[in-house]
Amino acid sequence: MSTSSETSLVGIVMGSASDWDVMQRATSTLTDFRVAYEARVLSAHRTPDETAEWARTAEQRGLRVLIAAAGGAAHLAGVVAAHSVLPVLGVPMQAWSLDGLDSLLSIAQMPRGIPVATLAIGSAGATNAALLAIEILALSNPGLRQQLTEFRASQARDILNTKLE
Ligand code: RP5
């Protein structure tokens, strides 16, 4: 799936369709910032060849940042990072046990030389992965940088205007 016919700049991959509910936080954030993305389900373990192919061809498809979400023995982000020099942001999913700590450690504990930037477990991580991808793109896109500045200001206003009953 993709937001529009524009060239996608962010590639999102997740280990299972069961991750999609959470990862829609990432796609809705990218949509809010009008950043085109592609999103797919691919598994480091269940579809290893297709995962490697997706990562190897990401840059030539025009992608600039990759987001990988998985749960359990969450090797997807690491495998994607092994096959691409694009920045890879990993989102740990809360899967069937250990409240997502298994996923967090699987994504964060990469060996020296192949980095994955690891976000928080679950929906906060999904939103922040998209925001971090936008921040990376904003390094060379003043319009996006302006949108980020406005987003931060609006977020601060919402908190400061909160009325408690
Ligand atoms: C991981 O295992 C997926 O990323 C998902 O978080 C978890 C459970 O997958 P399903 O059994 O629901 O397909 O590979």
Side-chain angles (χ1 to χ4, degrees):
M1 68 196 86
S2 173
T3 44
S4 69
S5 56
E6 280 175 68
T7 303
S8 296
L9 296 176
V10 178
I12 301 177
V13 72
M14 63 206 85
S16 168
S18 61
D19 301 323
W20 178 228
D21 267 359
V22 171
M23 289 311 294
Q24 286 185 69
R25 303 291 187 110
T27 59
S28 64
T29 302
L30 292 169
T31 301
D32 288 346
F33 280 81
R34 298 183 296 283
V35 171
Y37 63 86
E38 63 170 59
R40 287 196 67 177
V41 175
L42 284 171
S43 165
H45 306 117
R46 294 162 174 164
T47 61
D49 294 341
E50 292 80 0
T51 299
E53 178 68 9
W54 183 85
R56 271 196 215 107
T57 55
E59 194 163 356
Q60 70 205 44
R61 288 199 307 283
L63 299 175
R64 292 293 168 260
V65 187
L66 305 178
I67 296 172
H75 299 139
L76 185 59
V79 167
V80 166
H83 288 289
S84 175
V85 295
L86 292 172
V88 177
L89 316 182
V91 186
M93 298 288 100
Q94 191 173 337
W96 60 91
S97 66
L98 304 177
D99 287 337
L101 187 58
D102 47 352
S103 323
L104 175 65
L105 296 177
S106 300
I107 295 176
Q109 292 285 46
M110 286 297 291
R112 179 176 54 238
I114 306 291
V116 169
T118 307
L119 284 302
I121 298 166
S123 61
T127 299
N128 281 347
L131 288 171
L132 193 52
I134 293 163
E135 289 178 4
I136 292 168
L137 296 171
L139 290 171
S140 56
N141 183 328
L144 267 186
R145 193 178 189 290
Q146 181 60 28
Q147 283 188 72
L148 278 166
T149 305
E150 287 164 13
F151 165 78
R152 291 284 182 99
S154 148
Q155 181 172 249
R157 264 196 314 274
D158 287 348
I159 290 172
L160 295 172
N161 290 335
T162 303
K163 301 271 185 282
L164 301 175
E165 299 292 317

